Amino acid sequence: MYNNILVAMALDHGVSQNTMEIAKLLASEGGKITALHVLEEPHGTANVRLREDLLQQGTDRARELFGEKLQNVTGVERKLVVGHVSRTIVDYANENGVDCIVMGSHKPGLADYLLGSTAARVVRHASCAVHVFR
C-alpha cells in the first residue's frame, strides 16, 4: 500500500476511471491521491507565435475537461500544470514525496517504438513505483 499516489491523467485517453480506481485500491488507509494533468507547452517558435488568448483558451478547455473527468471523484487533490509531460510527472513526484505513480498507456504506434511513450519515459526515470494500466 502507498501513502502518496500520483495519478497522471491524459485528457484524450479514456482510461482515467480505471487509473483512479487502481489508485484507490493501492492507497493505504488515509493515503493521499493527487490527479495531475500536464498541459504540454508548445514547442520552440510555436510558443512565441501563438497568441496569449489562444493559449488561455486551450488552458481553459483543458481545465474544463479535467473537471469533467473528475466530477464524480471525491477525496482527490487536483493539479493542472504546464510543462513537458513525462519530465513534469517525474519532477512533480520527486518534489512532492510521491511513492507511487499510476498512469495509463495506449497501444504503442511506430513513433512510440522510435521515441518512447510518455509511460515508458516515466517508468525509466521515476524514483518510485509506477503502475501502468494499458
Side-chain angles (χ1 to χ4, degrees), residues 5-9 20 33-37 66 70 76-80 92:
I5 298 176
L6 178 65
V7 180
M9 300 178 71
M20 195 57 66
I33 298 175
T34 303
L36 174 74
H37 175 69
F66 193 45
L70 295 171
V76 173
E77 186 176 345
R78 302 167 186 203
K79 295 287 182 179
L80 184 77
Y92 185 93

Side-chain angles (χ1 to χ4, degrees), residues 11 37 39 56-71 78 80:
L11 301 179
H37 175 69
L39 286 166
Q56 187 60 50
Q57 287 175 12
T59 301
D60 292 344
R61 180 66 180 139
R63 187 170 281 111
E64 180 183 324
L65 289 171
F66 193 45
E68 287 172 10
K69 284 194 174 267
L70 295 171
Q71 69 184 0
R78 302 167 186 203
L80 184 77

Side-chain angles (χ1 to χ4, degrees), residues 82-101:
V82 176
H84 179 272
V85 179
S86 58
R87 187 175 330 122
T88 300
I89 292 168
V90 171
D91 289 347
Y92 185 93
N94 289 337
E95 292 165 6
N96 292 279
V98 169
D99 54 1
C100 180
I101 300 170

Side-chain angles (χ1 to χ4, degrees), residues 2-16:
Y2 299 98
N3 294 316
N4 190 359
I5 298 176
L6 178 65
V7 180
M9 300 178 71
L11 301 179
D12 58 346
H13 295 167
V15 299
S16 301

